[in-house]
Amino acid sequence: MPKITLLMNKGNNKMHFIYQYVIVLFFVISTVLSLLLIQENTIFTKNNTLFIFLYFFLYIAFTYNIVSLSRNFLTVVTLYYIPLLFMMSFLSYWFIVIGGLFTPLIVSMYFSFWYPNYGVELEVKLISAGVIGMILLLIIRWLGQDRLMMYIMATIIMSTVEFYQNKTLNNGTSLNYGLIQMILTFVVNISIGLFVYYVSKILREKAVEIKNKLANYDRDDLTGLYNFRQLNQDVLSVLPSDARELTIIIIDIDHFKKINDTIGHSYGNEILQVVAKSIRTVITERFTRKQYRIYRYGGEELVIILEGHVEEIENLLIKLKNLIAGVDVKEYREKLTVSIGVTFNKNYQLDNIEAFKQADRLLYKVKSQGRDNYLIEY
């Protein structure tokens, strides 16, 4: 009878341990999910300083809470390297160094406060083990071509360091780890490591996708020029009090509708691309990137905005018209021509909208007078 009772107690103890372990694990998973939520939001900011500070603060808080919770529930400290594993996924080498030093310091701080008999010798052993683990993490991060293997090796290293530190905390007499505890620690560390790996992979791919979309948000898909949205932001929505001197050039491809109707939209698209390329060629020969912007205004209309009042604008237009006229487009046997209207916003007290409207009026005056020409309002 006593033997049966003893076996039942052992079974109850194991179930009780598993139940308490699940509570600790739930908190650890909540920690990882919280950090993932923060990481996802870093995609939308250029300045990561605040997020790094927040990471570091939460890393310390979460690590301490995991140490405290696991010690009180399980009489051992476990899974407290999980926040460091997460940081290793997204941050630089220096964070591994700081984390490798701070994690054992956080454990030491907890035991020093709650267990007065905790000595300096144990603290040195804890920190030494943390430093060795940190060095190994740095090495596998440096060598880690295969990120999946890097995560698996990192979790094994952290689990091993965790075993040693628990043995140290128990004065070297016993790990205070039953077989179930050892298996759970390895399995959970590796499982969470794999979870972080796959989620971090998804987040990285998502970040690249979003950054690519944001990079092209202000661009016209066909020509690669800036789009109307950017023109409105750069020029049309700027108040005269905030504006600077600009030269405004509006270009329209002559007979573009006829081109689309006779030889097809695909050739029309090709002509748009060729004209955009010709404009870039002429403008970049004379101006630096900060001195100009080229936009697709809509349909076959393109806009060039030049910094300042460009006096030699007529020479520029002649060169551009000649370059476009020499373009050879398959199936289009006629000479490719453009109509152009030019004005300067200083003539309108830096009112960009009025200057733009005038350039547009000049353009359509050219078209009404036979096309293939330009008008400049000096």
Side-chain angles (χ1 to χ4, degrees):
M1 192 71 171
K3 186 175 182 181
I4 295 175
T5 304
L6 182 61
L7 289 172
M8 290 178 64
N9 287 336
K10 285 184 177 180
N12 289 335
N13 287 339
K14 287 180 180 179
M15 290 302 297
H16 186 65
F17 165 75
I18 292 173
Y19 169 74
Q20 291 178 320
Y21 196 95
V22 168
I23 294 174
V24 176
L25 180 59
F26 178 81
F27 179 78
V28 172
I29 293 173
S30 301
T31 297
V32 172
L33 293 176
S34 300
L35 293 172
L36 284 172
L37 184 63
I38 296 171
Q39 175 60 31
E40 185 176 16
N41 283 287
T42 62
I43 296 171
F44 303 101
T45 182
K46 292 182 180 179
N47 184 5
N48 286 334
T49 305
L50 176 63
F51 285 97
I52 290 174
F53 175 79
L54 186 58
Y55 269 137
F56 188 68
F57 175 80
L58 291 177
Y59 154 73
I60 293 174
F62 284 145
T63 302
Y64 184 87
N65 286 335
I66 291 171
V67 170
S68 176
L69 195 66
S70 61
R71 177 67 181 181
N72 283 287
F73 272 77
L74 306 173
T75 70
V76 292
V77 286
T78 186
L79 303 178
Y80 52 90
Y81 274 103
I82 292 296
L84 177 59
L85 173 67
F86 184 89
M87 302 307 175
M88 182 180 170
S89 308
F90 296 102
L91 300 179
S92 57
Y93 289 97
W94 67 264
F95 208 98
I96 298 176
V97 175
I98 293 175
L101 294 173
F102 264 82
T103 299
L105 282 175
I106 293 169
V107 177
S108 300
M109 180 177 66
Y110 172 82
F111 276 86
S112 296
F113 184 79
W114 293 105
Y115 300 91
N117 294 329
Y118 182 79
V120 176
E121 183 180 352
L122 291 178
E123 184 174 347
V124 171
K125 289 181 178 179
L126 278 178
I127 295 173
S128 298
V131 169
I132 293 171
M134 172 197 71
I135 293 171
L136 293 174
L137 289 177
L138 285 171
I139 291 172
I140 65 168
R141 174 74 184 270
W142 180 60
L143 295 175
Q145 299 298 324
D146 184 351
R147 294 186 66 85
L148 178 58
M149 186 56 64
M150 181 188 77
Y151 277 92
I152 294 173
M153 291 178 66
T155 55
I156 292 173
I157 289 170
M158 288 187 294
S159 298
T160 304
V161 171
E162 183 182 310
F163 288 143
Y164 174 79
Q165 289 177 334
N166 270 278
K167 182 178 179 180
T168 301
L169 290 170
N170 284 278
N171 298 316
T173 56
S174 170
L175 280 175
N176 200 25
Y177 265 67
L179 181 60
I180 294 177
Q181 293 171 304
M182 293 181 69
I183 292 172
L184 277 174
T185 299
F186 266 111
V187 170
V188 170
N189 269 314
I190 292 174
S191 299
I192 293 180
L194 293 175
F195 173 74
V196 171
Y197 164 76
Y198 284 111
V199 173
S200 66
K201 184 180 178 182
I202 293 169
L203 285 177
R204 281 192 176 86
E205 291 171 354
K206 183 178 179 182
V208 170
E209 180 185 347
I210 291 174
K211 286 177 180 178
N212 288 337
K213 286 182 179 179
L214 290 176
N216 297 319
Y217 180 75
D218 57 357
R219 297 284 180 170
D220 172 61
D221 292 335
L222 179 62
T223 61
L225 302 177
Y226 289 106
N227 55 27
F228 176 76
R229 183 187 295 108
Q230 194 63 36
L231 174 65
N232 186 62
Q233 181 179 320
D234 292 345
V235 181
L236 301 181
S237 65
V238 178
L239 297 174
S241 57
D242 298 324
R244 57 193 185 280
E245 282 194 22
L246 299 174
T247 299
I248 299 173
I249 307 168
I250 304 180
I251 301 171
D252 185 272
I253 302 173
D254 294 332
H255 306 293
F256 191 74
K257 186 177 185 303
K258 179 183 175 183
I259 293 170
N260 279 333
D261 292 342
T262 55
I263 64 174
H265 288 274
S266 60
Y267 287 105
N269 289 341
E270 183 182 340
I271 286 172
L272 266 170
Q273 292 170 328
V274 167
V275 171
K277 183 179 179 181
S278 300
I279 293 173
R280 282 198 200 95
T281 300
V282 172
I283 296 299
T284 53
E285 286 177 356
R286 168 66 176 76
F287 301 95
T288 65
R289 288 182 64 86
K290 291 183 179 181
Q291 293 177 312
Y292 75 90
R293 275 200 170 185
I294 309 170
Y295 308 83
R296 184 181 178 191
Y297 178 48
E300 70 274 24
E301 290 190 354
L302 308 174
V303 174
I304 307 171
I305 302 295
L306 302 175
E307 291 284 341
H309 185 106
V310 182
E311 298 289 349
E312 67 276 19
I313 190 66
E314 189 166 3
N315 294 333
L316 192 75
L317 298 182
I318 292 170
K319 188 173 183 179
L320 176 60
K321 280 173 52 62
N322 290 338
L323 182 60
I324 292 172
V327 169
D328 181 28
V329 180
K330 295 177 182 178
E331 305 297 329
Y332 188 65
R333 303 304 178 189
E334 300 180 30
K335 184 176 75 169
L336 192 60
T337 63
V338 294
S339 300
I340 306 172
V342 183
T343 191
F344 308 94
N345 68 349
K346 78 170 189 177
N347 297 340
Y348 298 87
Q349 292 75 48
L350 302 185
D351 189 325
N352 290 340
I353 292 180
E354 286 304 314
F356 192 88
K357 287 179 180 178
Q358 178 60 11
D360 204 35
R361 285 191 286 267
L362 292 173
L363 165 66
Y364 279 93
K365 187 174 181 180
V366 171
K367 293 178 77 69
S368 67
Q369 293 176 350
R371 299 181 173 86
D372 190 21
N373 205 349
Y374 56 84
L375 280 176
I376 305 170
E377 183 188 63
Y378 285 105

